[in-house]
C-alpha cells in the first residue's frame, strides 16, 4: 500500500464526517425539517438536542467500516461484504437504538449522571460519562472491523501480538474519548440552537472544525498502524 493510499484510507472517514456537517448546513436540516412520524419520533429528541455532533461520530464510524470492507484483506470479497453488512448494522444499532444516541450516549449519560449525583465535580462526571460512551462506541467499531477484515497474528509470538493489540486498543479508545469529549462541548463552544433551527454559516464552520479536530487523532493512529502493518508482511489489514 502506498503512503497516499494509506493516508486516504485513514483520513477519508474524517472527510465524510465533515461533509455530513456540510450537508446539514446546505440542506438547512434541523428539527423543523418534516420527517415521517415514526422517523421523527425516533430521531428527534433529547440526545440529538443535547449531543447533536454525535451524528458526525456515526458518519465517521460507518465510513470507517465501509472503507475497511472495500479494502483487500485476510478474507475474500464475500466474507468482507457479509461481515461489513453485519458490522455496519451493529454500529448503527449501538448508536441509534432505541432512538438517536443508542446505547452509546445512554451509557455515557447514565455514568456521568450517577457520578455527579454521587458528589463528583461536573468535569469529572463529564469525563467519566464520555469515557463510558467512548468504550462502547470503540467496542462496536472495533468488533465491526474484525468482522469485516479480521486480523492475523504478527511475528514475534502470541505475547507480542497481545501486547501490541492491547496497546492499539488503548490508544484508539483514548482517541475516541477525546473525540466524544470535544463533540460534547459543541454548544458550550458556540454551536447555538442547532438542531432546533438550521445551522448558520458560522455555526457550520465551527461544527465542521470540531468534527475535524475530534477525529484526527483516531485517524492518525489508524494511519500509523496501517503503515506498521505494511512493513510487517505477516500482518493483515483490519
Amino acid at each position: 500500500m502506498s503512503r497516499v493510499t494509506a493516508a486516504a484510507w485513514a483520513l477519508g472517514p474524517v472527510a465524510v464526517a465533515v461533509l455530513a456537517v456540510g450537508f446539514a448546513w446546505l440542506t438547512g436540516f434541523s428539527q423543523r425539517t418534516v420527517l415521517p412520524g415514526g422517523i421523527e419520533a425516533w430521531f428527534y429528541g433529547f440526545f440529538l438536542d443535547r449531543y447533536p455532533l454525535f451524528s458526525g461520530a456515526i458518519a465517521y464510524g460507518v465510513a470507517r467500516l465501509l472503507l475497511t470492507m472495500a479494502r483487500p484483506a485476510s478474507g475474500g470479497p464475500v466474507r468482507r461484504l457479509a461481515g461489513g453488512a453485519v458490522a455496519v448494522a451493529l454500529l448503527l444499532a449501538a448508536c441509534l437504538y432505541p432512538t438517536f444516541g443508542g446505547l452509546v450516549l445512554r451509557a455515557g449519560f447514565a455514568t456521568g449522571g450517577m457520578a455527579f449525583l454521587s458528589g463528583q465535580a461536573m468535569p469529572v462526571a463529564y469525563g467519566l460519562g464520555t469515557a463510558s460512551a467512548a468504550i462502547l462506541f470503540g467496542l462496536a467499531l472495533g468488533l465491526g472491523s474484525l468482522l469485516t477484515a479480521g486480523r492475523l497474528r504478527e511475528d514475534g509470538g502470541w505475547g507480542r501480538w497481545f501486547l501490541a493489540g492491547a496497546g492499539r486498543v488503548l490508544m484508539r479508545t483514548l482517541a475516541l474519548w477525546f473525540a466524544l469529549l470535544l463533540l460534547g462541548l459543541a454548544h458550550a463552544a458556540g454551536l447555538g440552537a442547532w438542531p432546533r433551527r438550521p445551522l448558520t454559516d458560522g455555526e457550520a464552520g465551527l461544527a465542521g472544525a470540531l468534527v475535524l479536530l475530534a477525529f484526527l487523532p483516531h485517524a492518525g493512529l489508524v494511519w500509523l498502524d496501517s503503515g506498521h502493518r505494511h512493513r510487517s508482511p505477516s500482518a493483515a489489514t483490519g
Side-chain angles (χ1 to χ4, degrees):
M1 181 195 308
S2 69
R3 291 184 178 181
V4 174
T5 303
W9 179 78
L11 300 176
V14 183
V16 170
V18 174
L19 287 174
V21 174
F23 178 79
W25 168 62
L26 288 173
T27 60
F29 179 82
S30 71
Q31 291 185 9
R32 299 176 184 177
T33 304
V34 178
L35 298 176
I39 296 178
E40 187 173 280
W42 159 75
F43 191 69
Y44 296 152
F46 171 80
F47 286 104
L48 178 63
D49 185 61
R50 181 62 184 85
Y51 306 102
L53 292 188
F54 185 65
S55 53
I58 297 173
Y60 176 83
V62 171
R64 172 68 61 209
L65 291 176
L66 290 178
L67 281 177
T68 300
M69 180 176 64
R71 292 180 64 195
S74 56
V78 174
R79 180 260 176 86
R80 282 185 279 126
L81 182 61
V86 174
V88 170
L90 176 66
L91 180 67
L92 291 178
C95 296
L96 297 174
Y97 182 81
T99 59
F100 179 86
L103 297 177
V104 173
L105 289 189
R106 282 163 174 79
F109 185 76
T111 302
M114 290 298 296
F116 182 72
L117 291 175
S118 68
Q120 299 296 327
M122 180 59 75
V124 175
Y126 179 66
L128 291 173
T130 50
S132 176
I135 289 171
L136 279 181
F137 185 80
L139 181 63
L141 187 61
L143 181 58
S145 295
L146 286 176
L147 288 172
T148 303
R151 187 184 296 276
L152 294 179
R153 183 171 63 90
E154 300 181 19
D155 292 334
W158 288 104
R160 179 178 174 181
W161 172 83
F162 178 80
L163 290 175
R168 280 192 294 265
V169 169
L170 176 60
M171 293 303 297
R172 293 194 187 190
T173 301
L174 289 174
L176 291 175
W177 185 21
F178 169 79
L180 296 187
L181 277 169
L182 194 59
L183 296 182
L185 296 175
H187 286 308
L191 185 61
W194 188 76
R196 296 181 184 177
R197 56 161 175 74
L199 285 165
T200 66
D201 295 352
E203 290 168 351
L206 173 64
L210 286 174
V211 169
L212 176 65
L213 291 174
F215 289 105
L216 274 180
H218 187 268
L221 290 173
V222 173
W223 188 1
L224 291 174
D225 189 35
S226 51
H228 168 72
R229 292 199 304 270
H230 176 57
R231 292 190 297 271
S232 177
S234 66
T237 56

